[in-house]
Amino acid sequence: MKSVFLQAAGGSGIGSMFYFLIVVAIIVILFIVFRNLVLWYYKLDVLSKNIEAQTEIQRAILRKLEAWKDDDKKNINRIEGE
């Protein structure tokens, strides 16, 4: 049993580096695939887009309310000035 472990540890530097890079590349690819699968399954990308759309709608409403408030102030000042 010891000879198997000693054999594995005694590999060439370039070959073991090559295998290490291959393993890292496979891990990165699997991470990307499983991340996209989880995002698709839980529809997180759709939820994110919906939240962004709702935020934009709320900002538009706020801009209109602020403009309406400013118009009311102008009308009140105009009425008080007369």
Side-chain angles (χ1 to χ4, degrees):
M1 191 61 140
K2 285 185 178 179
S3 64
V4 172
F5 292 120
L6 293 176
Q7 227 175 7
S12 67
I14 295 173
S16 62
M17 180 64 90
F18 178 72
Y19 289 123
F20 174 75
L21 291 176
I22 289 176
V23 168
V24 169
I26 290 171
I27 290 172
V28 168
I29 290 170
L30 287 175
F31 172 77
I32 292 171
V33 167
F34 283 117
R35 179 183 176 272
N36 288 334
L37 184 67
V38 168
L39 290 176
W40 169 80
Y41 181 76
Y42 290 109
K43 308 272 189 269
L44 295 179
D45 54 341
V46 174
L47 291 173
S48 177
K49 289 177 186 175
N50 288 341
I51 289 171
E52 289 174 4
Q54 289 174 355
T55 302
E56 187 56 40
I57 291 169
Q58 289 175 346
R59 285 183 182 148
I61 292 170
L62 181 62
R63 283 191 296 267
K64 288 187 180 193
L65 287 174
E66 287 174 345
W68 188 42
K69 183 179 173 183
D70 290 340
D71 287 344
D72 283 347
K73 283 182 182 178
K74 289 178 187 176
N75 288 336
I76 290 172
N77 290 338
R78 184 178 50 88
I79 293 171
E80 289 176 352
E82 292 178 354

